[in-house]
Amino acid sequence: MKRFYKEVSVLESEGGWQVALDGRAIKTVKGLQQIVPTEALAKALAAEWNAQGEKVDPKTMPLRDMADYAIDMVAPDPAALIEKTVAYGDTDTLLYRADPDEPLYARQQEVWEPIVAAVEKRLGAQFVRISGIIHRPQSEETLAKLRGELEGENAFTLAAIEMMTHLAASLITGLSAARPGADALGLWNASSLEEDWQAEQWGRDEEAEERREKRTTDFLKAHEFWKLAQG
């Protein structure tokens, strides 16, 4: 699509901030006003529009996509997304360990256990650790505490946490990243421990490297969105 605007600006609106192109406020895919909760996020969205050349490339505007998702899909029914996200807590990657006599188990204990224990302490929850692949459900009390944590988020931060959780297959990772000062890259690398272990044993091909790079970028961009939506 050819660039159709010259000036990008940020406007304060009722309920938040908006990006305007040549004075016209942007709308979402579904035609709603793209009003975001912080000036910082609006400025980051404006930077995406400003960075476009003679043609507009939507693939280079991930923050815009996340803002549209938060407004169009999450805000109308946040409870639905919360339930979808809580389900990851019942099958969380960081809770499924190798058998204790396997070398991988020691690595998982070293890397994953401090992350899991920190979330347990913060939420007052108790996660069930599982050796092997057979599913064992978490308690209703633990799932309720995860749900309560998510219910405190707005549509924008909730959208970011859901994306980080989905990419990592771990709600523990998503919630850990959604904390001030969190090491997002370190948490992402921790969630990818088994993938890295397999690569150490058998090597990693070019396609796998490309997939990993894209998923890493997506996770870090979701974390950036979360920070910007916090103010």
Side-chain angles (χ1 to χ4, degrees), residues 21-190:
L21 305 178
D22 293 337
R24 300 180 63 181
I26 290 174
K27 294 185 178 182
T28 68
V29 172
K30 288 194 172 184
L32 301 176
Q33 293 293 322
Q34 195 195 63
I35 299 174
V36 299
T38 68
E39 184 180 15
L41 179 53
K43 285 182 176 179
L45 293 168
E48 287 187 335
W49 286 102
N50 263 323
Q52 301 303 306
E54 293 183 3
K55 292 186 177 181
V56 176
D57 183 359
K59 293 194 294 293
T60 64
M61 307 176 77
L63 297 177
R64 183 207 63 164
D65 290 344
M66 281 188 272
D68 282 1
Y69 177 66
I71 295 166
D72 287 344
M73 306 302 294
V74 181
D77 188 8
L81 189 70
I82 287 172
E83 290 307 310
K84 175 184 175 183
T85 308
V86 166
Y88 283 96
D90 205 33
T91 58
D92 200 292
T93 291
L94 272 59
L95 300 176
Y96 283 80
R97 316 283 171 85
D99 290 328
D101 60 348
E102 296 180 16
L104 175 58
Y105 178 83
R107 177 88 61 89
Q108 292 168 329
Q109 287 291 102
E110 177 187 1
V111 176
W112 287 352
E113 193 57 27
I115 299 170
V116 174
V119 174
E120 284 181 320
K121 182 177 180 180
R122 179 159 61 87
L123 299 186
Q126 180 63 54
F127 293 110
V128 178
R129 282 77 160 165
I130 302 100
S131 286
I133 60 173
I134 297 176
H135 175 252
R136 286 178 58 192
Q138 301 299 314
S139 70
E140 286 302 319
E141 180 181 2
T142 293
L143 294 177
K145 289 185 176 181
L146 292 171
R147 188 176 295 109
E149 186 79 354
L150 293 171
E151 286 171 349
E153 302 291 336
N154 64 48
F156 295 85
T157 56
L158 183 58
I161 292 171
E162 189 269 337
M163 179 174 285
M164 291 189 288
T165 296
H166 169 73
L167 288 164
S170 167
L171 179 52
I172 291 171
T173 299
L175 290 176
S176 298
R179 300 289 294 170
D183 177 6
L185 182 57
L187 288 163
W188 167 251
N189 287 335

Side-chain angles (χ1 to χ4, degrees), residues 66 163 167 213-223:
M66 281 188 272
M163 179 174 285
L167 288 164
E213 184 176 345
K214 182 181 185 309
R215 288 165 57 234
T216 301
T217 299
D218 290 345
F219 186 91
L220 295 178
K221 187 59 67 172
H223 183 253

